[in-house]
Amino acid sequence: MAISASQVKELRDKTGAGMMDCKKALIEADGNFQKAIEILRKTGASVAAKRAERTANEGIVLTKIIDDQVGFIVEVNCETDFVAKSDDFVNFTDFVLEAIASKSPANIEELLKLDYDGKNIGEELTGIIGKIGEKIEISRFAIVKSESGILVDYIHHGSKLGVMLLTENVKENNKEELKPLLKDFAMQIAAMKPLYLTRENVPQEAISKELEIYKEIALKEGKPEQIIERIAQGKLNKYYEEVCLMDQSFVKDNSKKIADLVNEFNEKNSSSVKLTKFLRYHLSDEKK
């Protein structure tokens, strides 16, 4: 049967699929609109399978905080920056974030099986892969809660880098004064890439490896045997200042460390605010 341009346009408007794909689907379905939609969905699944081995290193990171105490962060990837900026991709990522915030899934496998707002997450993912024609994946997400403090987030321009910072022991009357300082800390995390919150969080394996390297360098430089341990420990302190947030110099005033600013705030407000955790999602990160 003949397929009209208006039929093709109507199917395209509803599904977002390409004009030729819509025409082919309508021809195959003998003009049956619902059957054509099913054909396009199956085609989308086919496209998703073909794209599975492709590399998806672009995308966006989004965050959401509810009532200062529950936070959500998600990274959704695609193949090109062009797609990452498209309305379809951004809207899909928003949809995924809202689904996570609403349903609190335990992992991505569970997330993909969920229905949210009348739509299945996995089916929506397959559909957008078919529509856009790139590999798209929900690579990671996290849900964090603060029992006695507040959360702050920071999304760097372009949405390729997101940070979530958790605190505890925050008095209600300190919240508004504390938030700008925590925002600065979140920006510090984005810019300075700490790996750990405190020295105590650094694994012993990492410390031993660093010390071994420092000692070997000192030996090669001909340093006296009796001072090699002291040299290694000194360099280890420098390592802590690079990789531990609390030991880092504050980017807005490098005469102070992050720990100093937390202590100053607590002394000024007779409080005991504590930074307890941070998450830093960047598109180029190795997924853990």
Side-chain angles (χ1 to χ4, degrees):
M1 64 176 291
I3 302 299
S4 69
S6 61
Q7 287 177 293
V8 174
K9 184 179 184 303
E10 185 181 354
L11 184 58
R12 175 180 168 78
D13 289 343
K14 185 167 182 63
T15 65
M19 295 291 281
M20 289 304 298
D21 289 332
C22 289
K23 186 174 182 179
K24 288 176 183 177
L26 282 165
I27 291 171
E28 186 178 340
D30 292 325
N32 184 301
F33 201 77
Q34 290 304 317
K35 187 175 180 182
I37 291 175
E38 292 177 12
I39 291 168
L40 285 172
R41 288 183 63 187
K42 290 176 182 177
T43 303
S46 175
V47 171
K50 290 177 182 177
R51 292 283 173 175
E53 299 305 315
R54 300 286 291 271
T55 301
N57 290 325
E58 288 293 338
I60 54 178
V61 176
L62 295 180
T63 59
K64 179 184 178 76
I65 292 178
I66 299 176
D67 297 330
D68 289 333
Q69 290 193 301
V70 184
F72 309 89
I73 183 168
V74 64
E75 177 179 342
V76 181
N77 296 113
C78 56
E79 294 179 39
T80 64
D81 185 53
F82 177 78
V83 164
K85 293 175 180 176
S86 69
D87 289 343
D88 286 331
F89 184 81
V90 173
N91 291 339
F92 173 73
T93 307
D94 282 332
F95 169 72
V96 171
L97 178 63
E98 292 302 324
I100 293 168
S102 173
K103 302 290 187 175
S104 296
N107 50 49
I108 291 173
E109 183 180 2
E110 185 176 309
L111 170 65
L112 292 174
K113 294 176 181 177
L114 290 176
D115 290 333
Y116 172 70
D117 197 24
K119 303 171 185 176
N120 177 267
I121 312 299
E123 289 180 2
E124 289 298 302
L125 175 59
T126 298
I128 194 171
I129 292 172
K131 179 179 179 180
I132 289 177
E134 283 195 4
K135 178 178 182 178
I136 295 171
E137 60 183 0
I138 305 166
S139 61
R140 55 180 169 165
F141 72 87
I143 303 170
V144 289
K145 299 179 182 180
S146 177
E147 299 297 331
S148 62
I150 57 176
L151 302 172
V152 296
D153 56 357
Y154 170 71
I155 294 291
H156 191 62
H157 179 69
S159 299
K160 297 182 185 295
L161 170 60
V163 171
M164 190 82 69
L165 176 62
L166 292 77
T167 65
E168 298 295 348
N169 304 331
V170 179
K171 298 176 182 176
E172 187 65 35
N173 61 342
N174 291 153
K175 285 184 178 180
E176 293 311 309
E177 184 179 354
L178 180 61
K179 282 181 182 178
L181 183 62
L182 296 180
K183 279 286 187 181
D184 283 342
F185 292 169
M187 292 175 70
Q188 168 107 12
I189 293 165
M192 302 308 293
K193 306 179 186 178
L195 300 176
Y196 312 100
L197 181 66
T198 68
R199 297 185 180 201
E200 289 71 31
N201 298 132
V202 182
Q204 185 58 48
E205 182 182 354
I207 294 172
S208 299
K209 183 178 179 181
E210 290 298 315
L211 285 172
E212 181 183 339
I213 292 170
Y214 301 148
K215 289 176 183 178
E216 188 173 331
I217 291 172
L219 280 170
K220 288 181 178 178
E221 290 176 347
K223 303 294 189 212
E225 188 82 31
Q226 62 271 25
I227 67 168
I228 284 178
E229 183 66 35
R230 192 165 74 245
I231 291 172
Q233 288 296 330
K235 289 189 175 182
L236 185 63
N237 285 329
K238 290 291 185 183
Y239 171 75
Y240 288 141
E241 290 172 4
E242 290 178 6
V243 302
C244 300
L245 177 65
M246 298 298 283
D247 280 274
Q248 285 186 347
S249 297
F250 185 41
V251 290
K252 289 189 172 182
D253 179 1
N254 59 21
S255 69
K256 297 179 180 179
K257 297 185 183 298
I258 299 296
D260 297 332
L261 293 168
V262 174
N263 291 336
E264 286 177 8
F265 181 90
N266 284 333
E267 289 174 10
K268 177 184 175 183
N269 295 279
S270 301
S271 58
S272 55
V273 172
K274 183 179 180 182
L275 307 188
T276 55
K277 184 178 181 179
F278 69 83
L279 298 171
R280 183 182 187 276
Y281 279 20
H282 187 243
L283 294 186
S284 64
D285 288 347
E286 180 182 351
K287 309 300 186 292
K288 297 179 180 179

